[in-house]
Amino acid sequence: RGGSSVAGGAGAKRKTCEGRRGAAAANGSGERKRPRRQRHPEESITETAKPLGDHIVASAISLFVPRSPAGVLALMQRWRKGILKAPIPGAASKRPDQAMLRAAKRAVIRFYAGEEALGERSDVVKAFYLATGEPHLRFDWASASQRVGRARFDNKQQIDLWNECLAMTSGESNKLSEIYVCGTKKVTLRALTSLLCHEGLHNLARRSRPGN
């Protein structure tokens, strides 16, 4: 099967054909699961979730990479990107509209272009190498930008109930996955931009070697 992809971020999740939610790496094909009916409409993680401190996140990541919690925290601070670290949904006063979506797309695609130009010096690239432990990775920035450019709102809960996230990557396979954003909940432009940037990083990096 295809290569792995790694990304992290609040307010977003990945919905694949295997039904794995919130996973940073997923491969395979099969049927996409239908959204389950919401039992308690008043309860939503997106409205009650509390942000975790960087030291907690660093400790969790250190369980999966060859770095101590302090080492991971140092890298997080060194590689920090404002576009990927934003309050979600933020102090929003309205639901996102098409103008906001277009502005967010432009910002994300511009960020991707800058990272691609840096090549191996890109902090995003360095983070993928650390997370995967792979000696060689292929980065498909063009496809990532194209997915972001095609991102669209789900205003009728056709993709998800949106009680666990505000954006997701969903599709019958990695190749056919598209980005969807909840269009019914309030979110700031900064948060929307961060969500799109996170989702676009799914499937960005792939192994050069065959196998899972």
Side-chain angles (χ1 to χ4, degrees), residues 8-211:
K13 73 177 178 181
R14 177 180 173 118
K15 183 177 182 180
T16 69
C17 43
E18 294 178 325
R20 294 173 56 189
R21 298 191 174 191
N27 296 286
S29 60
E31 293 184 354
R32 186 176 65 188
K33 291 187 176 181
R34 293 178 178 275
R36 291 175 294 180
R37 290 188 178 278
Q38 188 175 3
R39 293 182 179 179
H40 303 288
E42 72 280 1
E43 296 179 0
S44 173
I45 293 176
T46 63
E47 296 161 359
T48 60
K50 302 296 182 181
L52 297 175
D54 285 353
H55 66 288
I56 296 177
V57 176
S59 294
I61 293 175
S62 70
L63 298 175
F64 303 96
V65 299
R67 293 289 190 282
S68 66
V72 172
L73 182 59
L75 288 176
M76 287 172 58
Q77 295 171 342
R78 187 186 312 167
W79 294 345
R80 177 172 176 166
K81 304 297 179 186
I83 195 171
L84 284 168
K85 188 173 178 62
I88 296 174
S93 59
K94 65 175 185 177
R95 296 176 179 178
D97 54 28
Q98 291 298 329
M100 289 176 62
L101 185 60
R102 287 193 295 271
K105 288 180 178 181
R106 288 194 297 270
V108 173
I109 292 173
R110 186 164 55 244
F111 172 73
Y112 286 176
E115 292 299 305
E116 181 180 17
L118 291 172
E120 297 292 311
R121 293 179 292 117
S122 162
D123 291 336
V124 172
V125 168
K126 294 175 184 177
F128 270 99
Y129 274 114
L130 176 63
T132 62
E134 291 289 323
H136 302 290
L137 292 171
R138 293 181 292 107
F139 293 87
D140 193 349
W141 292 101
S143 292
S145 294
Q146 291 166 8
R147 281 194 304 277
V148 169
R150 294 192 301 269
R152 55 187 182 274
F153 290 126
D154 175 25
N155 294 312
K156 299 181 179 180
Q157 296 186 334
Q158 294 177 324
I159 302 300
D160 196 68
L161 293 174
W162 302 110
N163 60 348
E164 296 180 2
C165 66
L166 294 173
M168 68 162 59
T169 296
S170 178
E172 298 298 331
S173 67
N174 286 340
K175 185 176 181 180
L176 298 176
S177 292
E178 298 292 349
I179 298 172
Y180 299 92
V181 179
C182 175
T184 59
K185 294 187 177 182
K186 297 177 181 179
V187 65
T188 63
L189 175 58
R190 181 183 175 189
L192 178 60
T193 303
S194 185
L195 289 166
L196 279 183
C197 192
H198 165 89
E199 291 301 325
L201 293 178
H202 286 302
N203 302 322
L204 169 68
R206 296 188 175 277
R207 298 181 180 94
S208 297
R209 62 179 176 82

